Amino acid sequence: AQSVTQLDSHVSVSEGTPVLLRCNYSSSYSPSLFWYVQHPNKGLQLLLKYTSAATLVKGINGFEAEFKKSETSFHLTKPSAHMSDAAEYFCVVGSSASKIIFGSGTRLSIRP
Amino acid sequence: GAGVSQSPSNKVTEKGKDVELRCDPISGHTALYWYRQRLGQGLEFLIYFQGNSAPDKSGLPSDRFSAERTGESVSTLTIQRTQQEDSAVYLCASSPRTGVSNQPQHFGDGTRLSIL
């Protein structure tokens, strides 16, 4: 069985400070992991994906995530938050044996 | 290029009416997914189509919900005898390979359904 847990439902940071959105997964197989972003009234957009090539994955808009097997984590980070980063972020896990599972989402707010 | 297109973007209807939602996937994408997103919540899987295989309907919440897809093209999600709890955004996504879960999904902007 596989599952994904986003540890924070809401994260608020000041503009220009680092962003950390936490995600833990559980999978019986070597997982594929994704982060998506959803802006208001829009569909989801892929930020980045991990598929076992490299543990540090760089995505769009300056985001990156590190796959840590020992911690079963795939946290999303960005060195410096921008106002346009305010959105909902979803961590997603997939495996060869199951459908894709979405986390419950983390709402990121940016303070001026 | 064209992305996933959903129509209508908004739909308001009375309780008990039937509604039909449409999704045009990216050309050549063999996998197509439907999700429901209630206000302030995550995505709830409904159904997915993978090429010409039988669809996975395991996420459909009741027999009032059904979906069809013709080949690798348009899909329609139908909700019969709508209830107020059906109010949500319905998102469609497609991906380029059949049922391969390491492929990213490309999402439409969704249909916002409101049941009065």
Side-chain angles (χ1 to χ4, degrees):
Chain A
Q2 60 181 11
S3 64
V4 59
T5 302
Q6 291 185 242
L7 299 168
D8 306 292
S9 60
H10 183 212
V11 170
S12 179
V13 302
S14 297
E15 188 175 20
T17 64
V19 175
L20 170 63
L21 306 183
R22 298 183 294 165
C23 173
N24 285 99
Y25 70 92
S26 172
S27 178
S28 302
Y29 300 85
S30 179
S32 296
L33 296 160
F34 307 82
W35 276 99
Y36 287 84
V37 61
Q38 184 180 32
H39 290 277
N41 300 314
K42 292 292 186 181
L44 279 69
Q45 179 186 16
L46 179 69
L47 278 177
L48 50 83
K49 69 172 183 176
Y50 165 79
T51 54
S52 77
T55 57
L56 183 62
V57 182
K58 293 188 182 299
I60 62 172
N61 301 335
F63 284 93
E64 62 183 35
E66 185 173 7
F67 173 71
K68 292 186 177 180
K69 186 175 181 179
S70 61
E71 300 176 8
T72 60
S73 69
F74 190 58
H75 302 334
L76 182 71
T77 60
K78 183 173 181 178
S80 177
H82 191 273
M83 294 299 293
S84 61
D85 295 328
E88 189 88 15
Y89 291 80
F90 293 94
C91 182
V92 180
V93 61
S95 77
S96 60
S98 182
K99 293 183 293 290
I100 292 174
I101 305 297
F102 284 78
S104 56
T106 297
R107 181 164 61 91
L108 177 62
S109 300
I110 311 296
R111 301 187 299 271
Chain B
V4 176
S5 177
Q6 292 188 245
S7 61
S9 55
N10 287 280
K11 177 72 175 179
V12 181
T13 192
E14 295 179 346
K15 177 182 172 182
K17 300 288 188 182
D18 297 352
V19 295
E20 188 172 280
L21 312 180
R22 176 187 170 105
C23 173
D24 282 277
I26 293 172
S27 178
H29 280 195
T30 51
L32 185 148
Y33 304 78
W34 283 99
Y35 297 92
R36 179 169 68 181
Q37 187 177 29
R38 290 195 164 114
L39 184 64
Q41 299 187 20
L43 273 69
E44 177 186 0
F45 166 78
L46 296 178
I47 186 171
Y48 84 88
F49 299 88
Q50 42 180 0
N52 295 318
S53 301
D56 180 343
K57 303 180 181 180
S58 61
L60 294 178
S62 78
D63 60 6
R64 297 188 295 106
F65 287 72
S66 62
E68 292 184 351
R69 187 184 188 193
T70 305
E72 297 180 358
S73 61
V74 171
S75 176
T76 55
L77 175 68
T78 302
I79 309 173
Q80 296 178 311
R81 305 181 302 282
T82 52
Q83 304 294 314
Q84 287 187 332
E85 65 260 27
D86 299 335
S87 296
V89 176
Y90 290 83
L91 290 163
C92 175
S94 69
S95 66
R97 293 177 63 186
T98 56
V100 177
S101 58
N102 65 1
Q103 294 295 316
Q105 297 181 22
H106 300 257
F107 283 81
D109 287 343
T111 294
R112 185 175 302 275
L113 178 63
S114 300
I115 309 300
L116 303 178

